[in-house]
Amino acid sequence: MVEREWERFVADLSGVLDRSPEETVLSLEFADDGFVSFIKTPDSLGVDVSDSLDEPGQQYLLEAGWTRPRPDFPTWHREISRPGSQACREIATEAVHTIRELFSVRSPEEVYPRGWVDGPGEVHFGQLRPGASIPAVGEVATLVSIAELLIPDQPWLVATVRHRLEDPEQAHHFGPWRGLLSALGEPYFGGLGVLAQFDWQEDTDAMCKALQQLPSCPKALSWDWYPAFAAMTKGRHSGDAAESFLKRVAEICRPTEFAFVSLQNRSDDYAVTFLPRNRLDRLRALTAQAGEDAIELPFRR
C-alpha cells in the first residue's frame, strides 16, 4: 500500500515539475526541518537538499553527482539543463528516494509541499497534499492576531497570512502553528521574512546577516561586537557557536526597549524576531492560546 502511494507521489511530482510554469519554486518539507526544493527557470531545474544528513547519506549524494554545501550556499545542490518529461520523472524519482532512504520518511503523508511562481502562471499541487491540516475558525483568529502583533499597520501582509492558513492549497501538513511560522518565515520559501529561521548548526555569519535584514531589527542595535565574537568562536562546534550567538544578541537587547523572542521552542531549530517589550505579554498570551509558547531569549535548557 505504502509503495503504491510513493509511486503515485513520484508520478504526481514529475507532472508538477514538467507542467509548472517557468520561475516555479517548489519545496517538499518533512520532519526535523528537512527539505528537498526545486527551482525551475527557462533553462534549468535546480534541486537542493537540506544539509542534515549522516555520513552515508552525504556519501550517496556525492557519488550521485551533487555539490556539497558551502557557507554561501548551505544546501546540497545539483542543476539539470533544459529538463524534459523524462528528466523530470528521473529527478522526481531521485528526490523521493532521498526523502525515503536518506531522511527515513515513511509515507507521502509526512511530506508537506508548498510553492509559488515568481512570474505569470500558477503551480497546482493539491494532489501532493493528502493530509493538509486546515485550522478551525478560532485557531485562524488567534494565529492572525499573532501576525498582526508581529507586523502591525500592514493589513495586506496580515491578509496574506490569513490566506496561507485558510486556503487548502496552502494549508500546512504539519499543523496550523507550523503554517503560521511558514507564512512569516524565509522569503526563499515563500514566507514574508518576518521571522528568521535557523538550523541549530547554522553558520553565525549567515545568522548575523539574516537578523540585520529583519524589518523588526532595531536600527540602534549595535553589531560592532560581532567580528570579535566570530574570531573567538572560530573552530568551535557550529551548534555551540549558533547558541552562543543567539544568547549574545539577546543579552545586547536586554537593556533596550526591544525583546529578542523565539516562536519555535520545542526543537533544536529557531524562529526568532525582535519585538517591542510592550507587546511581549500580549504575544505570550496569544501563543499560549494557540497551544504554543513564545519566550524571550536567552533561554535556559
Side-chain angles (χ1 to χ4, degrees):
M1 181 66 176
V2 172
E3 198 63 41
R4 287 199 299 273
E5 291 174 357
W6 279 117
E7 290 172 1
R8 189 182 307 115
F9 190 85
V10 168
D12 290 340
L13 176 59
S14 63
V16 169
L17 295 176
D18 187 27
R19 293 188 293 272
S20 60
E22 296 173 356
E23 311 303 335
T24 289
V25 179
L26 172 63
S27 180
L28 305 177
E29 301 175 4
F30 31 91
D32 300 322
D33 292 319
F35 66 84
V36 176
S37 63
F38 308 86
I39 302 178
K40 188 175 182 180
T41 72
D43 300 317
S44 67
L45 179 65
V47 191
D48 295 287
V49 172
S50 55
D51 183 23
S52 53
L53 295 169
D54 58 18
E55 189 60 38
Q58 295 177 31
Q59 189 60 36
Y60 172 85
L61 291 184
L62 279 176
E63 292 174 358
W66 292 71
T67 302
R68 273 190 181 277
R70 57 181 192 265
D72 61 331
F73 203 97
T75 62
W76 291 86
H77 181 77
R78 65 175 299 187
E79 199 87 11
I80 302 162
S81 298
R82 299 186 178 278
S85 298
Q86 182 59 34
C88 286
R89 176 77 185 200
E90 291 172 358
I91 197 60
T93 301
E94 186 168 339
V96 166
H97 175 84
T98 298
I99 292 168
R100 293 184 68 182
E101 302 301 327
L102 304 191
F103 288 97
S104 302
V105 176
R106 295 169 297 180
S107 163
E109 291 192 355
E110 298 178 17
V111 178
Y112 164 61
R114 61 187 174 112
W116 62 96
V117 182
D118 287 333
E122 294 181 295
V123 56
H124 300 283
F125 42 81
Q127 71 271 28
L128 298 178
R129 280 185 168 154
S133 178
I134 301 173
V137 174
E139 287 181 289
V140 171
T142 299
L143 298 175
V144 169
S145 294
I146 293 171
E148 289 174 332
L149 195 67
L150 297 177
I151 39 178
D153 305 318
Q154 299 192 61
W156 56 95
L157 295 182
V158 174
T160 298
V161 174
R162 180 184 291 276
H163 172 72
R164 289 278 296 271
L165 293 170
E166 294 180 330
D167 184 356
E169 278 283 301
Q170 299 289 329
H172 203 295
H173 184 85
F174 297 125
W177 183 253
R178 283 287 296 274
L180 176 68
L181 297 186
S182 173
L184 296 174
E186 297 177 71
Y188 181 81
F189 292 112
L192 296 174
V194 176
L195 301 174
Q197 296 172 305
F198 303 130
D199 179 80
W200 73 281
Q201 298 186 91
E202 195 85 30
D203 176 76
T204 58
D205 286 349
M207 296 171 81
C208 187
K209 181 178 179 181
L211 291 182
Q212 291 180 68
Q213 291 175 342
L214 283 176
S216 61
C217 181
K219 291 182 172 56
L221 196 66
S222 172
W223 298 92
D224 294 344
W225 55 272
Y226 180 72
F229 172 89
M232 180 183 69
T233 56
K234 186 176 182 180
R236 285 177 57 182
H237 184 276
S238 56
D240 292 340
E243 185 170 350
S244 296
F245 171 79
L246 293 175
K247 287 181 177 179
R248 183 66 181 274
V249 174
E251 287 161 0
I252 289 171
C253 281
R254 278 284 170 86
T256 76
E257 62 183 15
F258 286 87
F260 187 45
V261 297
S262 171
L263 276 76
Q264 184 163 297
N265 312 305
R266 299 179 183 179
S267 72
D268 286 327
D269 303 301
Y270 308 98
V272 297
T273 192
F274 300 93
L275 186 75
R277 289 189 180 279
N278 59 10
R279 297 186 209 156
L280 188 55
D281 287 343
R282 176 64 173 158
L283 179 64
R284 286 174 173 148
L286 286 170
T287 54
Q289 189 175 327
E292 301 291 335
D293 57 326
I295 62 169
E296 182 179 1
L297 298 173
F299 56 84
R300 297 288 183 265
R301 291 191 175 184

